[in-house]
Amino acid sequence: MLKPLGHSSQRDAISYAAGLRISEAVCLKPSDIDSQRMVIRVEQGKGRRDRYVMLSPALLELLRTWWRVEKPCHWLFPGDIPGHHISTGAVRDACRSIRKVSGTRKPIAPHSLRHGFAVHLLESGTDVRTIQLLLGHRSLTTTARYLRIATSKVCSTASPLDLLPQPLSAESKAAAPQNL
């Protein structure tokens, strides 16, 4: 069972689990979560374009726990000002605080969660075109910037030549039945 966490944990989970830009995550409404179809509707993302992204069962459970505790009305992540969603600046501040508390020297930024989403999908075998659609990119060139592939991924990739049927050697041709 997932325990309820603070604002930043749910937003971060959404950014990583669905590949959302932080500006998209903070603007989500409870009605954008479609648990019947297991998708999240992103309204007016970058370029004023709507899209759907996947809703993982683990994220749905986390969001349901969040909703039961916080009971958000208009915005899934309300801000300090009534009627407004939390600001992207507040999210950046939360990431800085998390970095400080964790003691890591690596930068922790909201966008690194989106980047991790893309890289981990690629490493698990998702095709680049699907990743492009999930990220909401118009161009594969933009998606490629997210996907600086690790050397291990490049080295473990099979050549298309290796996937072709191997020609029979002279010895096996002689032993092969004539009716083949």
Side-chain angles (χ1 to χ4, degrees), residues 2-64:
L2 297 170
K3 63 180 181 178
L5 303 168
H7 273 29
S8 64
S9 297
Q10 271 68 18
R11 273 189 323 274
D12 294 348
I14 287 177
S15 295
Y16 176 72
L20 299 184
R21 295 172 180 94
I22 199 59
S23 60
E24 297 167 338
V26 298
C27 291
L28 287 175
K29 299 174 215 137
S31 60
D32 293 332
I33 309 301
D34 185 343
S35 60
Q36 296 290 14
R37 294 178 30 215
M38 294 304 288
V39 294
I40 299 170
R41 178 178 166 81
V42 179
E43 287 189 42
Q44 302 293 295
K46 190 171 180 181
R48 297 257 188 231
R49 295 172 43 204
D50 296 345
R51 74 179 192 282
Y52 287 93
V53 296
M54 80 273 254
L55 172 60
S56 80
L59 179 59
L60 178 59
E61 183 181 339
L62 187 63
L63 291 173
R64 283 181 170 162

Side-chain angles (χ1 to χ4, degrees), residues 103-141:
T104 184
R105 289 195 270 170
K106 280 189 163 190
I108 298 174
H111 196 75
S112 58
L113 298 167
R114 180 172 158 85
H115 176 83
F117 166 83
V119 170
H120 293 152
L121 281 179
L122 181 70
E123 288 176 348
S124 69
T126 305
D127 66 275
V128 177
R129 175 70 176 132
T130 300
I131 296 170
Q132 175 193 4
L133 293 172
L134 289 170
L135 292 174
H137 291 156
R138 286 188 180 162
S139 164
L140 275 174
T141 305

